[in-house]
Amino acid sequence: VKMMAPPIILLKDGTENKQGKQQIISNINACSVVADSVRTTLGPRGMDKLIVDSKGKTTISNDGATILKLLDIVFPAAVVMCDIAKSQDAEVGDGTTSVVVLAAELLKRSKPFIDDGVHPQLLIRAYSKASQEAVRYLDSLAVKIEGEAALRDMLVKCAMTTLSSKLVSAEREHFANMCVDAVNILDERLTLDMIGMKRVPGGSLLESRLVRGIAFQKAFSYAGFEMQPKTYAKPLIALLNIELELKAEKENAEMRIASVDEFQKIVDAEWNILYDKLKKIHEAGAKIVLSKLPIGDVATQWFADRDMFCAGRIPQEDLDRTMAACGGSILTTVSQISKEVLGECDKFYEQQVGSERYNFFEGCRKAQACTILLRGGSEQFIAETERSLHDAIMIVRRAKKNDSIVAGGGAIDMELSKHLREHAKTIAGKEQFFWQAFARSFEIIPQQLCYNAGIDATDVLNKLRHKHAKGEKWAGIDIHSEEVKDNMMACIWEPSLVKKNALISAVEATCLVLSIDQTIKAPRTPSGGTLPGFPQ
């Protein structure tokens, strides 16, 4: 009698193993759920999300990337959605919600094909080709901006488009100008770290201001601080990474002393070392001394007697920014200190902002750094303003380097959709259907904008399709007047790079999710480690 062959057990007991068509379908569903969590934040009438993390910290945000970062997603394939939002945030700063919504829509449109047994690779091939065509057409549509005045105007408009969907949209003009000014202060490299953001609770939003220089909170100070002058004109600034205070003796040191005089000499030596350092700083002509490490009470008094200002325990990033703005370099020893290594600025003063005192350095010599002081009622509100401004500043940076724009508000999406639809008709065979699905996916952006604003989406989309078919390529939705308008004229502009990056990321994510047909999940061990006998 033939024996039954024992089943082959390949994977450890408890391992989850899903594969085949059902796996792709469940991945698509999971990605749609992720998109649903940010879908309603799109556009000027988008809602905000309140997220409470495991430590109880609350965040109110409208920024797709911020929301997805805070969600603890455990579904393996859905993490891809999170990643494209992060990459969009890092690359261009804005459009994080759009990219997730677009990717989810592409997946949703692919679902019927997968159900009907179409091989995922066929879809992936068609989508890749279609996205190349879309990018090519997008580049041909983008409008170049020439001239200095027009460029500034364009930057402000792009910043306003970004801010229109944020909490601060009521004051978007004020903030858009602030962001453009801030970016214009930076040097060619446009490093973001050189724009400092300081949050000061209290006051109104409009009291936020841009400091053309450096501002930071008054550092911890010792007795004698109040005797120091608080305003200087054209001071020299010493930036140090040195402790200027007496140290307690080490407990385990042993000193053999024959007389009291010798002990006195040892004590004096330490004082002399300190005084020596202080004298050198004074002789170099520095009027302001900033150090990353503490400046003790003796030094504070000594500086006060000589009309010098000092501040210790300053955060590294503030010091770096001061160095970028005022010149000079951060010293770790004062033995070689001279005028060459000191920074300078036109004006230094201390001023009360809200409940804190701030030190301001203005009119800096190299002037490639600036600070934005944010005011507002609540901590969460200021934090959200900071995130919004970060997006706007990123957009201005990008738009400054790539000075071509497209019309937002669903205009460019509808135009791409129309073009791809027409192109699809020239393709023979079943691939045509995949192109059609790809083209339809772009309509989700204007559709979602309508849903979020409570406008009849079907009606608006019909009008949009009609106008684009007639050749009005910049026809889009103007949410504020709730009608279809020429968004290029209405100045709803965004850098073409934002759309391009969003399109490429969304298609990549879609192809990635479609190409996964099996998930193998190792069983969790109680200790959280791997199973015994398995390599780490």
Side-chain angles (χ1 to χ4, degrees):
V1 182
K2 196 176 176 192
M3 292 284 287
M4 285 282 290
I8 298 170
I9 298 174
L10 187 67
L11 299 167
K12 192 100 184 124
D13 203 23
T15 306
E16 285 179 46
N17 182 8
K18 299 182 193 155
Q19 64 193 87
K21 194 159 87 177
Q22 267 332 97
Q23 174 60 58
I24 300 180
I25 300 286
S26 78
N27 283 348
I28 291 176
N29 292 343
C31 291
S32 299
V33 173
V34 174
D36 288 344
S37 63
V38 292
R39 198 177 284 271
T40 51
T41 66
L42 190 74
R45 298 277 169 89
M47 311 299 269
D48 297 334
K49 305 284 178 196
L50 192 153
I51 299 155
V52 185
D53 65 8
S54 50
K55 297 186 186 73
K57 180 172 171 268
T58 53
T59 310
I60 299 173
S61 184
N62 184 290
D63 181 34
T66 310
I67 297 165
L68 291 178
K69 268 180 209 156
L70 291 169
L71 294 180
D72 229 356
I73 295 175
V74 289
F75 196 96
V79 177
V80 177
M81 301 300 263
C82 231
D83 292 344
I84 54 171
K86 283 182 196 164
S87 91
Q88 178 79 359
D89 196 35
E91 190 58 34
V92 278
D94 192 32
T96 46
T97 309
S98 318
V99 69
V100 174
V101 169
L102 184 61
E105 183 66 15
L106 275 166
L107 286 166
K108 197 170 123 195
R109 298 252 172 223
S110 319
K111 201 160 125 185
F113 295 126
I114 301 286
D115 266 339
D116 294 346
V118 173
H119 197 283
Q121 284 303 337
L122 292 175
L123 281 169
I124 291 170
R125 251 208 334 267
Y127 285 176
S128 302
K129 277 191 203 152
S131 84
Q132 284 166 358
E133 177 58 32
V135 169
R136 189 196 62 70
Y137 189 57
L138 181 71
D139 286 340
S140 70
L141 279 176
V143 180
K144 265 265 200 250
I145 299 289
E146 306 288 342
E148 195 64 34
L151 186 67
R152 184 190 154 92
D153 191 43
M154 182 271 282
L155 294 177
V156 173
K157 299 261 168 57
C158 286
M160 278 171 68
T161 305
T162 301
L163 291 171
S164 66
S165 66
K166 309 283 188 235
L167 268 176
V168 291
S169 61
E171 316 295 352
R172 62 177 181 271
E173 200 160 331
H174 173 77
F175 284 112
N177 279 304
M178 191 188 284
C179 292
V180 175
D181 288 340
V183 174
N184 284 340
I185 289 174
L186 304 181
D187 61 355
E188 284 74 70
R189 288 203 313 281
L190 299 179
T191 26
L192 256 191
D193 302 346
M194 290 303 147
I195 300 179
M197 296 242 196
K198 299 288 176 203
R199 307 180 198 173
V200 191
S204 81
L205 252 187
L206 285 171
E207 283 172 36
S208 306
R209 62 182 196 153
L210 174 71
V211 180
R212 291 172 183 276
I214 304 296
F216 49 78
Q217 212 168 328
K218 178 177 98 65
F220 177 82
S221 55
Y222 288 97
F225 177 78
E226 295 308 338
M227 291 151 56
Q228 298 176 347
K230 299 290 187 292
T231 46
Y232 293 98
K234 296 210 178 301
L236 289 174
I237 306 163
L239 305 168
L240 311 175
N241 193 357
I242 313 172
E243 254 180 315
L244 297 176
E245 65 178 344
L246 296 169
K247 276 272 170 271
E249 279 76 31
K250 294 274 185 290
E251 290 82 34
N252 58 0
E254 186 179 319
M255 289 193 256
R256 304 264 170 114
I257 298 167
S259 68
V260 176
D261 295 349
E262 282 182 26
F263 181 67
Q264 194 56 46
K265 274 184 196 153
I266 293 165
V267 174
D268 290 348
E270 193 181 11
W271 282 83
N272 290 338
I273 291 169
L274 177 65
Y275 280 136
D276 242 20
K277 284 181 185 170
L278 300 179
K279 277 200 194 94
K280 280 195 172 128
I281 295 170
H282 179 58
E283 282 160 11
K287 277 280 177 225
I288 298 174
V289 184
L290 305 176
S291 176
K292 186 182 162 197
L293 297 168
I295 293 180
D297 40 5
V298 178
T300 308
Q301 287 282 342
W302 195 91
F303 285 139
D305 294 343
R306 283 158 190 74
D307 278 352
M308 291 162 71
F309 174 89
C310 69
R313 299 186 191 175
I314 289 173
Q316 182 69 46
E317 59 206 40
D318 285 334
L319 265 189
D320 290 345
R321 237 178 262 130
T322 310
M323 185 170 95
C326 305
S329 39
I330 297 174
L331 308 173
T332 43
T333 164
V334 288
S335 53
Q336 302 282 309
I337 192 167
S338 65
K339 265 207 168 111
E340 285 70 65
V341 292
L342 299 180
E344 63 177 307
C345 65
D346 278 349
K347 192 162 84 187
F348 166 81
Y349 57 94
E350 189 177 272
Q351 194 182 12
Q352 188 87 5
V353 181
S355 57
E356 304 291 350
R357 279 158 67 174
Y358 273 73
N359 299 332
F360 290 87
F361 298 81
E362 286 186 359
C364 304
R365 182 172 67 180
K366 284 169 68 182
Q368 284 156 355
C370 55
T371 311
I372 294 176
L373 287 181
L374 295 174
R375 307 297 310 276
S378 70
E379 185 54 45
Q380 280 98 341
F381 191 77
I382 300 181
E384 175 58 12
T385 308
E386 183 177 351
R387 280 191 292 273
S388 310
L389 287 189
H390 172 265
D391 282 10
I393 285 168
M394 288 285 287
I395 285 293
V396 174
R397 272 178 69 203
R398 285 284 172 232
K400 202 172 165 177
K401 285 183 183 168
N402 305 51
D403 48 1
S404 61
I405 55 161
V406 292
I412 182 72
D413 307 278
M414 288 305 290
E415 186 57 28
L416 286 173
S417 178
K418 180 204 103 174
H419 173 75
L420 289 169
R421 234 193 235 112
E422 283 170 3
H423 195 281
K425 289 174 189 159
T426 63
I427 297 168
K430 60 184 172 195
E431 201 176 300
Q432 183 176 352
F433 294 112
F434 310 150
W435 277 69
Q436 292 280 9
F438 188 85
R440 283 290 300 269
S441 302
F442 283 102
E443 293 183 356
I444 185 67
I445 303 282
Q447 190 182 342
Q448 196 60 51
L449 284 172
C450 292
Y451 282 152
N452 290 355
I455 305 170
D456 181 359
T458 323
D459 183 34
V460 171
L461 276 177
N462 281 336
K463 280 184 189 163
L464 278 173
R465 285 194 200 110
H466 175 64
K467 290 208 166 192
H468 281 270
K470 281 192 341 200
E472 294 180 30
K473 59 182 181 187
W474 296 127
I477 312 163
D478 184 348
I479 298 285
H480 299 291
S481 59
E482 303 199 358
E483 55 193 38
V484 174
K485 274 189 178 172
D486 183 331
N487 277 356
M488 203 50 141
M489 302 301 291
C491 294
I492 302 174
W493 299 350
E494 31 190 344
S496 57
L497 199 75
V498 176
K499 279 290 168 212
K500 189 171 167 181
N501 206 61
L503 199 156
I504 295 169
S505 301
V507 173
E508 273 179 8
T510 308
C511 294
L512 185 62
V513 173
L514 287 177
S515 67
I516 300 169
D517 74 334
Q518 182 172 10
T519 310
I520 302 167
K521 202 173 176 184
R524 278 276 188 48
T525 54
S527 61
T530 50
L531 292 162
F534 276 65
Q536 284 289 341

